[in-house]
C-alpha cells in the first residue's frame, strides 16, 4: 500500500478502497469505483461553490490565503508593484517569464498598436441608452469583438491566440473609456499611442478640448499599480467562468465576455462600488459601532471584508493602503477614508470578525482611490476588468495546453420528481387566483435625442 494514498472503507459494504493522493488531492473520479451494486453509478463528491475542489492545474498565480501571500509566476505581488509595470506583468502572466528588453519592446508596441477599435464597434456603443451601465456595455462590447475577429475561432493556432491576447488587453481599456464617455454624453476619445498604458486610459476618459491630456504622473503610476494588483487571482469566480465557457472550444473573446459577466456581480468585482455606498450610508466615523452591530445582527454585510481564499489581510489591500497618502496629496482629500479606517480598526479588534478571519480585501480601499481619480462608482468594476483581462487570457491560454482539458460539465444531485404522468390541462388543480407576469411599469420618457 502506497503511503501517498487514502484508504476508504465503505461502511455500506465493508469494502476498502485505496485512492492515490497526488499534490495533496484525491481525484474525484476515483470515488466512482465505490458502489454498493455493480449497476449503480458510483460515489460522487458534492462541493457546491467549489469550496474544496481543484478544477485545474495552473502555474500562473500562487496564493497562500492563510499567510496572505500572492505571487504571479513565482514573483511576489509586493515586488511586482514596486518594480514592474502593468504591461510587463501582463507579459509575465501570459508567457510565464519576465520579458527581455527586446521582448518587452515588441509586446508594448503590439499592445499600443492594437488599442483602436473598429468604427462599427463605436457605432454599436452609440446604440446603448444614455444611462446604460458601463459594465453592461463593456460586456456586450467584448462579446462583439469576436465578430470582428472570426479567425480567433482557430484556438489551436498559437499566432491567433497571441493576437487575441494582444487585442483584448489593448482594446478593453478603449471600450471601457467609451462606456464612460457614453454615460457622460461626451465624444469618445481615440487612443494616444505616445502615452503609456495607464496614461492612455486616463486620457481616453478625461480629455476635453486640450490637444493632449497628460495625467499627473503620480496618478497614472498609482493606476498602474492598481492594474498590477488586479491582474490575476487564480481560480476566482470570473476566471472559472472564462475557463468553464472556454472549455467548450469557443473563441477567447466570447470566453472573456463570460468573465466580464461574472466580474459584474456585487460579491466579486462589484464589491468596491458596494463599499462606497456602504461608507456613504454610514456617513461619519461616529456611526461605525452602530453599523458593525447591525453587521453582527446580520442586518448588514461589511462590504470589502472577507475573502474565500484569504483568511488573513489581503496583501493587495495592504499595498493600496500604502499609496493612499500620495494620491490624496495630488487630489482632493476624500473624507470617506476616515470612515473606512475607523471600520477597519473596530472590525480588527472585534471577536466576531477576527474569529471568522474577516480582514479587508482588495476592494475595501480601491474604490476610495478610484473616487480620488474622479472615476465614478459605476466604472469601478470596469476598471477591474481592464487588468483582469490579462489574467483571464493567461489562464485561457494555459488551459488550451492542458492535456487533461475537457469540456467542463459538473454533476448534480437530482432532488426533483420522477416518472410522473402528463396531466391534461383541464384536469390540473391549482390555486383559484390566477397569477401572471407583473404589470408593466409605465414607460419612462427618453431623455435627449
Ligand atoms: N460581513 C459580515 N460577515 C461576513 C462577511 C462580511 N463581509 N463575509 C463573511 N462573513 C461571515 C459569514 O456570515 C459567515 O459567518 P457564519 O459562519 O457565522 O455564518 C462567515 O463569515 C464565513 O463567510 P462565508 O460566507 O462562508 O465566506 P465565503 O468564502 O463564502 O465568502 C465573500 C467570501 C463572498 C467574499 C464574503 O466574505 C463576502 O460576501 N464579502 C463581502 C463582499 C466582498 O467584499 N467581496 C469582494 C471579494 S474580493 C474580490 O472578489 C475581488
Amino acid at each position: 500500500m502506497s503511503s501517498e494514498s487514502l484508504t476508504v472503507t465503505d461502511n455500506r459494504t465493508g469494502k476498502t478502497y485505496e485512492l492515490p493522493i497526488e499534490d495533496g488531492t484525491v481525484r474525484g473520479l476515483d470515488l466512482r469505483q465505490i458502489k454498493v451494486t455493480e449497476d449503480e453509478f458510483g460515489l460522487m463528491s458534492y462541493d457546491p461553490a467549489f469550496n474544496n475542489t481543484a478544477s485545474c492545474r495552473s502555474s500562473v498565480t500562487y496564493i497562500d490565503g492563510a499567510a496572505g501571500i500572492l505571487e504571479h509566476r513565482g514573483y511576489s505581488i509586493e515586488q511586482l508593484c514596486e518594480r514592474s509595470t502593468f504591461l510587463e506583468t501582463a507579459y509575465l502572466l501570459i508567457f510565464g517569464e519576465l520579458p527581455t528588453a527586446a521582448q518587452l519592446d515588441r509586446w508594448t508596441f503590439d499592445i499600443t498598436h492594437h488599442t483602436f477599435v473598429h468604427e462599427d464597434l463605436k457605432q454599436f456603443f452609440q446604440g446603448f441608452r444614455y444611462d446604460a451601465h458601463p459594465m453592461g456595455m463593456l460586456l456586450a462590447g467584448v462579446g462583439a469583438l469576436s465578430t470582428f475577429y472570426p479567425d480567433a475561432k482557430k484556438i489551436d493556432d498559437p499566432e491567433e491566440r497571441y493576437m487575441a491576447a494582444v487585442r483584448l488587453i489593448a482594446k478593453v481599456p478603449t471600450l471601457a473609456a467609451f462606456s464612460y464617455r457614453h454615460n457622460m454624453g461626451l465624444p469618445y476619445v481615440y487612443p494616444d499611442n505616445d502615452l503609456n498604458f495607464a496614461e492612455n486610459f486616463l486620457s481616453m476618459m478625461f480629455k476635453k478640448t486640450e490637444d493632449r491630456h497628460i495625467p499627473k504622473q503620480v496618478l497614472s503610476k498609482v493606476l498602474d499599480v492598481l492594474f498590477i494588483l488586479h491582474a490575476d487571482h487564480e481560480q476566482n469566480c470570473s476566471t472559472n467562468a472564462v475557463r468553464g465557457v472556454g472549455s467548450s472550444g469557443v473563441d477567447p473573446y466570447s470566453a472573456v465576455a463570460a468573465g466580464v459577466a461574472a466580474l459584474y456581480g456585487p460579491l466579486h468585482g462589484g464589491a468596491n462600488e458596494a463599499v462606497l455606498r456602504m461608507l456613504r450610508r454610514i456617513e461619519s466615523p461616529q456611526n461605525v459601532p452602530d453599523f458593525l452591530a447591525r453587521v453582527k445582527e446580520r442586518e448588514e454585510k461589511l462590504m470589502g471584508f472577507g475573502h474565500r481564499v484569504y483568511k488573513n489581510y489581503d496583501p493587495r489591500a495592504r499595498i493600496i493602503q500604502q499609496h493612499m497618502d500620495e494620491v490624496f496629496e495630488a487630489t482632493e482629500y476624500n473624507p470617506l477614508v476616515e470612515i473606512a479606517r475607523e471600520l477597519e480598526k473596530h472590525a480588527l479588534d472585534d471577536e466576531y470578525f477576527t474569529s471568522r478571519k474577516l480582514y479587508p480585501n482588495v476592494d475595501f480601499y480601491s474604490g476610495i482611490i478610484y473616487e480620488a481619480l474622479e472615476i465614478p462608482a459605476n466604472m469601478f468594476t470596469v476598471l477591474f476588468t481592464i487588468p483582469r483581462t490579462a489574467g483571464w487570457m493567461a489562464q485561457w491560454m494555459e488551459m488550451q495546453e492542458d492535456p487533461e482539458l475537457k469540456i467542463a460539465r459538473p454533476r448534480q444531485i437530482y432532488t426533483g420528481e420522477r416518472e410522473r404522468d402528463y396531466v391534461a390541462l383541464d384536469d390540473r388543480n391549482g390555486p383559484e387566483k390566477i397569477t401572471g407576469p407583473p404589470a408593466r411599469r409605465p414607460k419612462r420618457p427618453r431623455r435627449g435625442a
Side-chain angles (χ1 to χ4, degrees), residues 51 230 233 266-269 271 275 295 298 300-309 311 314 316 352-353 356 358 361-363 384 388:
N51 263 303
H230 288 88
H233 213 232
L267 294 187
H268 191 8
V275 169
V295 172
R298 295 175 193 265
E300 297 270 7
K301 197 164 210 182
L302 180 49
M303 297 310 287
F305 257 66
H307 198 279
R308 173 60 57 80
V309 177
K311 301 302 171 196
D314 181 338
R316 302 167 301 172
Y352 180 92
F353 298 96
R356 288 172 176 79
L358 299 172
N361 60 48
V362 67
D363 286 320
F384 192 159
R388 187 50 62 86

Side-chain angles (χ1 to χ4, degrees), residues 135 263-264 269-270 272-273 377-386:
M135 200 59 183
L263 195 63
Y264 198 174
N272 51 10
E273 191 177 334
N378 65 358
M379 282 292 291
F380 291 175
T381 320
V382 170
L383 263 91
F384 192 159
T385 313
I386 293 171

Side-chain angles (χ1 to χ4, degrees), residues 77-347:
I77 193 66
E78 288 81 7
Q79 281 200 18
L80 290 172
C81 283
E82 203 181 314
R83 303 184 57 187
S84 184
T85 61
F86 168 68
L87 275 192
E88 188 186 61
T89 302
Y91 183 101
L92 171 70
L93 286 169
I94 290 193
F95 296 104
E97 295 295 339
L98 286 169
T100 61
Q103 287 167 332
L104 184 59
D105 278 354
R106 159 86 200 270
W107 174 245
T108 307
F109 180 91
D110 283 354
I111 301 283
T112 309
H113 288 82
H114 283 89
T115 47
F116 275 67
V117 295
H118 197 287
E119 283 294 291
D120 288 350
L121 201 51
K122 204 177 98 183
Q123 307 260 342
F124 174 70
F125 260 53
Q126 273 158 350
F128 283 108
R129 270 181 62 131
Y130 69 95
D131 60 352
H133 195 290
M135 200 59 183
M137 287 191 259
L138 183 61
L139 165 58
V142 172
L145 278 177
S146 79
T147 66
F148 290 86
Y149 305 104
D151 282 348
K153 285 190 177 64
K154 296 177 196 157
I155 56 172
D156 294 328
D157 180 342
E159 186 58 24
E160 286 301 334
R161 286 186 207 164
Y162 176 78
M163 285 316 300
V166 165
R167 288 193 178 112
L168 273 160
I169 294 168
K171 292 179 201 304
V172 164
T174 311
L175 295 178
F178 280 11
S179 68
Y180 167 73
R181 304 285 293 199
H182 187 80
N183 276 178
M184 299 300 287
L186 290 168
Y188 304 167
V189 175
Y190 289 116
D192 182 338
N193 284 1
D194 291 329
L195 299 178
N196 71 30
F197 191 81
E199 286 170 342
N200 174 50
F201 175 66
L202 291 171
S203 158
M204 291 190 293
M205 289 281 288
F206 298 123
K207 185 169 178 296
K208 299 269 169 41
T209 55
E210 65 274 32
D211 285 342
R212 168 168 272 177
H213 180 91
I214 302 178
K216 285 185 192 161
Q217 211 201 338
V218 61
L219 300 185
S220 55
K221 177 67 198 142
V222 164
L223 184 60
D224 201 65
V225 168
L226 281 163
F227 283 165
I228 296 175
L229 286 177
H230 288 88
D232 193 53
H233 213 232
E234 55 122 296
Q235 306 313 312
N236 52 81
C237 176
S238 57
T239 303
N240 184 55
V242 172
R243 280 186 178 259
V245 170
S247 76
S248 73
V250 75
D251 69 86
Y253 298 99
S254 304
V256 167
V260 181
L263 195 63
Y264 198 174
L267 294 187
H268 191 8
N272 51 10
E273 191 177 334
V275 169
L276 276 198
R277 280 199 303 270
M278 172 187 81
L279 294 177
R280 288 218 170 80
R281 267 190 302 123
I282 296 174
E283 274 181 359
S284 106
Q286 288 91 291
N287 297 334
V288 161
D290 277 358
F291 178 80
L292 288 180
R294 289 208 301 282
V295 172
K296 292 197 270 185
E297 290 297 319
R298 295 175 193 265
E299 289 164 18
E300 297 270 7
K301 197 164 210 182
L302 180 49
M303 297 310 287
F305 257 66
H307 198 279
R308 173 60 57 80
V309 177
Y310 293 118
K311 301 302 171 196
N312 199 325
Y313 213 102
D314 181 338
R316 302 167 301 172
R318 208 185 294 282
I319 294 170
I320 295 182
Q321 273 249 48
Q322 288 160 3
H323 287 277
M324 302 261 280
D325 291 339
E326 65 196 72
V327 170
F328 289 125
E329 269 169 35
T331 60
E332 246 176 62
Y333 184 72
N334 188 343
L336 293 183
V337 76
E338 278 165 34
I339 306 177
R341 286 192 167 137
E342 192 72 5
L343 266 177
E344 177 182 344
K345 200 173 85 193
H346 277 74

